[in-house]
Amino acid sequence: MRTLAAEGLRLDVGIVDYLILTLYFVTVLGIGFAARRAIKSSADFFLSGRSMPAWVTGLAFVSANLGALEIIGMAANGAEYGLMTLHYYWVGAVPAMVFLGIVMMPFYYGSKVHSVPEFLRRRFNRPTHLFNALSFALAQVLIAGVNLYALALILQALLGWPLWLSIVIGAAIVLIYITLGGLSSAIYNEVLQFFVILAGLIPITVVGLVKVGGIDGLMEKVRESPLGEAGLHTFADTASTGNPLGANWIGIIFGLGFVLSFGYWTTNFAEVQRALSAKDMSAARRTPIIGAFPKLLIPAVTVIPGLIALVTVKGLGAENGDLVYNNAIPLLMRDLLPNGVLGVAVTGLIASFMAGMAANVSGFNTVFTYDIWRAYIRKDRDDAHYIRVGRIATIGGVLVGIGTAFIAAGFSNIMNYIQALFSLFNAPLFATFIVGMFWKKMTPWAGFWSLLLGFLASLTLYIGHLTDVFHFNSDLEESFWGAGAAFLTAVVVAVVVTIVTRGTSKSDDELRGLVYGLGGQSTSSDVIISGEKVWWRNPVLLGTVALVLAVVLYIPVW
């Protein structure tokens, strides 16, 4: 095994690798120029005219999540925490994706909202709407910075450029095609990127497994690593916190599997936006469920390479330098792949970071334009004005993302940073959402205060963790409990404030289509329970199959 700290991360790329990468960039920009011709209105720019088929939106839905969090972050987690990282997929994603498709999409799509904050405005009030719009915009540029930082790492390794120049170049590429073609450009590129990402990661996994002697050889080497036997199990050691993740099953199931997971997948507009672009209600509901099936198998090309890096890269896990966990995938690329294949892998990684950043930026420009600019700054302007503002917001979001990329650079494992953001922003939002959706008596001000105080509860735990006021076994354990605290605080506040302000509840007519039990033609309980008339496209059936598969996959690694 080579010690890489002295040699750096520079990849030995050849002319074939550069040609593959150049072809990809030309294709991406070509899609942007082609999508530009279809932009006739703001709905076309921000929601693709609500014309996309389910298979396109489903692949875009999962591809939008295949950014730095998924590739770099999950591989880093695989190296640091072992197979317990699988919880982020089979407990921490699939159930929430199914719930979004079956239960929540009828409300989102049927109410014809442009964004998640707009739904909150209709359900609660303008202060709730403004707080969520601002916090979402902030979260998106912070997460965009993570994807941009990861993209810059690859460009730095590929070309030897300084990190700042790599960040600027990476940002410029995403900026061009989103500014040109809006959401349509992002979605079509995400479908392309889904396949390019797999083409890049599969060779790393296959060659790595061959090098370590297959699955059996990998398991044996993991047992000999600092992780030990515990790194090969998911629930076996969770009765206490004596496991690599430092979390018990309550934190995993409630904090990650319920609050963090449902909070992210059901209320994160960067994901929901893909389903809102679907051509009809049925396609919108199937979008996240279609995405759940590849989500079940993606650990094979993220977590497994992380374990391979753990047992083949000497010294991996340093606090800084080339041997931090975040570099697990780039180190494997450099060690394992020949020219040509290396070009495909580099292109796949760049595609993943561009997909993640594009999702953040397209979500940011929509919320900024519709929920901040149009709602509070410039009302009743013509459609061309809002398209122009959307393009300017795209530029602004990318520029801020460049700055936040340097924040991400300060974390040795970016998953820790991402999960902290989710516990702060998504967990209280999910609590406010779910209570307001199923309890029609919840008042407008209960929505605002539950959202705000839930956020502050999570922030208090996070600051306490950083200052050693509260002790947690790991940063991820803190995010689990921070999410739980945010959720419980938001629920309690929602009930208490509703009791105090019960005279201000909205009428049934105002809530029709926004609350369970008060649905119209598209959001009634019958629509939620029923599905597509063609049996094999029924969202309930498809969702059930996905959940069963998630349970079955756990059995060998329990």
Side-chain angles (χ1 to χ4, degrees):
M1 317 300 170
R2 287 183 293 175
T3 302
L4 299 176
E7 298 178 22
L9 264 175
R10 182 70 180 270
L11 301 179
D12 184 21
V13 294
I15 185 65
V16 175
D17 304 311
Y18 282 111
L19 287 175
I20 293 170
L21 187 58
T22 301
L23 177 62
Y24 170 71
F25 284 139
V26 170
T27 303
V28 164
L29 295 177
I31 290 173
F33 279 103
R36 180 184 176 88
R37 294 199 297 268
I39 304 298
K40 301 291 192 300
S41 67
S42 60
D44 293 332
F45 186 82
F46 295 113
L47 290 175
S48 300
R50 284 187 163 163
S51 61
M52 297 286 181
W55 74 269
V56 170
T57 55
L59 289 180
F61 188 93
V62 71
S63 182
N65 184 249
L66 279 174
L69 166 65
E70 192 78 10
I71 309 304
I72 296 294
M74 288 301 181
N77 263 15
E80 187 172 359
Y81 303 115
L83 291 186
M84 294 194 77
T85 307
L86 295 173
H87 292 311
Y88 286 92
Y89 297 87
W90 301 340
V91 163
V94 172
M97 295 167 78
V98 172
F99 183 81
L100 171 63
I102 294 175
V103 177
M104 296 187 71
M105 278 316 301
F107 293 96
Y108 283 136
Y109 197 88
S111 61
K112 302 298 182 185
V113 296
H114 294 92
S115 67
V116 170
E118 184 181 351
F119 185 93
L120 289 176
R121 177 180 60 79
R122 294 188 186 184
R123 173 60 185 89
F124 297 112
N125 55 19
R126 290 173 70 83
T128 308
H129 168 254
L130 180 60
F131 179 79
N132 179 238
L134 292 172
S135 61
F136 173 84
L138 174 62
Q140 290 313 293
V141 294
L142 287 171
I143 299 172
V146 174
N147 283 295
L148 184 55
Y149 167 63
L151 173 57
L153 281 179
I154 299 303
L155 292 177
Q156 182 185 40
L158 174 64
L159 302 174
W161 293 344
L163 186 65
W164 70 267
L165 181 60
S166 301
I167 287 174
V168 171
I169 296 297
I173 296 167
V174 176
L175 174 63
I176 291 171
Y177 80 79
I178 297 295
T179 304
L180 286 171
L183 183 62
S184 294
S185 178
I187 286 178
Y188 284 125
N189 269 310
E190 283 160 2
V191 173
L192 167 67
Q193 287 158 345
F194 175 78
F195 295 104
V196 173
I197 291 164
L198 291 183
L201 293 177
I202 289 173
I204 298 174
T205 306
V206 173
V207 176
L209 284 175
V210 170
K211 181 174 181 178
V212 299
I215 291 293
D216 290 339
L218 176 62
M219 293 175 70
E220 187 59 36
K221 287 180 173 59
V222 170
R223 291 188 181 98
E224 298 170 358
S225 75
L227 278 178
E229 181 68 27
L232 298 175
H233 298 283
T234 52
F235 279 107
D237 302 308
T238 57
S240 66
T241 58
N243 54 68
L245 200 59
N248 62 28
W249 67 269
I250 298 175
I252 293 169
I253 297 297
F254 180 69
L256 171 63
F258 181 59
V259 180
L260 276 174
S261 171
F262 279 66
Y264 174 79
W265 290 103
T266 66
T267 63
N268 181 27
F269 182 56
E271 301 292 338
V272 173
Q273 188 180 25
R274 273 75 194 144
L276 289 179
S277 70
K279 64 181 181 179
D280 54 36
M281 174 68 80
S282 176
R285 296 180 68 202
R286 281 183 281 126
T287 292
I289 299 174
I290 289 172
F293 287 93
K295 190 72 174 178
L296 286 165
L297 302 176
I298 286 172
V301 292
T302 55
V303 180
I304 289 179
L307 289 175
I308 293 170
L310 172 69
V311 301
T312 60
V313 178
K314 185 178 180 180
L316 185 68
E319 288 296 321
N320 49 59
D322 293 333
L323 293 174
V324 296
Y325 287 118
N326 284 337
N327 288 340
I329 290 288
L331 289 169
L332 287 182
M333 288 167 51
R334 202 200 75 162
D335 274 0
L336 302 179
L337 301 183
N339 291 118
V341 179
L342 179 59
V344 174
V346 170
T347 303
L349 274 186
I350 289 176
S352 73
F353 307 143
M354 289 174 65
M357 185 179 179
N360 302 136
V361 171
S362 59
F364 171 82
N365 67 24
T366 302
V367 167
F368 178 84
T369 303
Y370 276 127
D371 296 293
I372 298 175
W373 188 267
R374 190 177 73 170
Y376 299 99
I377 300 175
R378 291 288 186 271
K379 302 178 182 179
D380 303 322
R381 296 297 182 92
D382 59 38
D383 224 31
H385 172 80
Y386 295 117
I387 295 176
R388 185 166 60 253
V389 170
R391 289 195 165 111
I392 295 172
T394 302
I395 297 171
V398 170
L399 291 176
V400 176
I402 291 174
T404 60
F406 291 98
I407 298 176
F411 288 76
S412 63
N413 184 339
I414 55 176
M415 173 60 85
N416 296 337
Y417 174 52
I418 286 284
Q419 291 301 317
L421 294 179
F422 289 166
S423 69
L424 288 170
F425 295 109
N426 293 87
L429 175 59
F430 173 61
T432 301
F433 235 97
I434 207 69
V435 175
M437 186 173 286
F438 288 94
W439 187 32
K440 70 177 184 179
K441 292 183 179 180
M442 184 175 175
T443 61
W445 281 107
F448 173 78
W449 286 109
S450 65
L451 198 59
L452 176 61
L453 294 181
F455 166 79
L456 292 177
S458 182
L459 181 63
T460 300
L461 276 188
Y462 183 65
I463 293 174
H465 171 58
L466 294 180
T467 56
D468 294 325
V469 174
F470 306 118
H471 174 72
F472 296 96
N473 291 303
S474 67
D475 292 339
L476 290 183
E477 189 197 17
E478 186 285 323
S479 68
F480 295 166
W481 288 103
F487 182 86
L488 290 175
T489 300
V491 170
V492 171
V493 170
V495 173
V496 172
V497 175
T498 294
I499 293 173
V500 173
T501 61
R502 56 184 175 272
T504 64
S505 298
K506 289 191 172 184
S507 66
D508 286 359
D509 288 339
E510 291 176 293
L511 296 177
R512 196 162 302 282
L514 302 173
V515 177
Y516 185 82
L518 292 176
Q521 183 178 358
S522 60
T523 57
S524 65
S525 57
D526 290 338
V527 171
I528 294 174
I529 296 172
S530 66
E532 173 73 45
K533 292 181 180 179
V534 180
W535 69 270
W536 53 271
R537 294 192 306 191
N538 187 301
V540 176
L541 174 63
L542 292 173
T544 301
V545 172
L547 292 175
V548 170
L549 288 175
V551 174
V552 170
L553 287 170
Y554 262 122
I555 294 173
V557 293
W558 186 267

